[in-house]
Amino acid sequence: MRILLVNWQDRENPQAGGAEIHMHEIFGRLAGSGNDVTLMCGGWPGCPPRARLDGIEVHRVGTRHTFPLLARRYFDHVFGDVAPSLDVLVEDINKVPLYTPRWNGVRRIVALVPHLFGATAFQELAAPLAAAVWLAERPLGRVYRNVPFEAISQSTASDLARRGIPREHVEVIYPGIDTVSYSPRPASRAPRPAPRVPRPAPTIFRTHVHP
């Protein structure tokens, strides 16, 4: 398959987090099994504009702040001629949606969503940036209504449905666990589980009101 990923950042970005790891773990394996996987994402000051990570060809465009403004123009310039030959474009909607259903020449789109911000953006970002994220998410139900979605939780699937995405278009696929990285070292593993230590009973405080 020929796959184009679109995401805010890649795994090597100094500010990468769980969304980038989740995406890379899936599509790095697909690249390793012989699929042609390309990632278009934002970069950071001084980063190499191109890289290859576990078989994924990475195109870095602008920075985390300018990528949403530059992504479509870069797509048209670099991928416009090959867009009809893509088997699928996967947009990881992480922070700001890019409205890829409106991009030219793309035949099939799948959206991957870790979570959406909504009003919680105002609890995590400065007011102008939070307002931009909130406004960018508003047309989600209209622009992506006919796009199949992968959500990583039932709560995200319900959030998408409230925003106008038909629930039957959303498949919930829970993230996997890397049991090699997250496994006790044999040398430090106890031969048997530690005994359960009873927790002390809670102390009840009473407030005395004096006349």
Side-chain angles (χ1 to χ4, degrees), residues 24-206:
H24 190 91
E25 289 293 328
I26 295 171
F27 291 97
R29 285 170 169 78
L30 289 175
S33 64
N35 294 282
D36 182 353
V37 182
T38 301
L39 167 63
M40 188 177 78
C41 62
W44 62 95
C47 73
R50 299 283 291 272
R52 192 168 182 84
L53 304 178
D54 294 339
I56 301 176
E57 189 70 28
V58 181
H59 293 240
R60 294 172 177 143
V61 183
T63 65
R64 61 189 279 118
H65 299 300
T66 61
F67 175 65
L69 304 175
L70 302 175
R72 183 169 183 177
R73 185 191 311 167
Y74 187 89
F75 172 83
D76 289 340
H77 178 68
V78 176
F79 300 105
D81 292 340
V82 300
S85 66
L86 295 172
D87 290 292
V88 64
L89 183 152
V90 179
E91 181 184 354
D92 192 324
I93 302 179
N94 176 25
K95 304 296 185 288
V96 178
L98 298 173
Y99 312 126
T100 53
R102 294 178 174 173
W103 290 10
N104 298 322
V106 181
R107 296 185 297 112
R108 183 176 298 126
I109 295 172
V110 173
L112 191 161
V113 183
H115 68 91
L116 297 167
F117 278 95
T120 62
F122 293 92
Q123 301 171 17
E124 301 185 25
L125 304 169
L129 187 56
V133 172
W134 183 81
L135 288 170
E137 289 183 348
R138 296 291 289 172
L140 200 74
R142 183 175 69 256
V143 177
Y144 292 82
R145 183 170 181 79
N146 297 318
V147 171
F149 276 75
E150 177 201 338
I152 67 170
S153 67
Q154 293 290 346
S155 60
T156 297
S158 299
D159 190 5
L160 288 166
R162 285 192 295 271
R163 293 167 181 266
I165 304 298
R167 183 60 182 84
E168 61 271 19
H169 290 184
V170 184
E171 184 75 24
V172 176
I173 303 176
Y174 299 108
I177 300 293
D178 184 346
T179 57
V180 175
S181 299
Y182 299 98
S183 179
R185 296 176 182 174
S188 61
R189 185 190 292 268
R192 62 185 64 186
R196 184 176 181 275
V197 179
R199 298 179 65 181
T203 302
I204 300 176
F205 294 93
R206 292 182 178 177

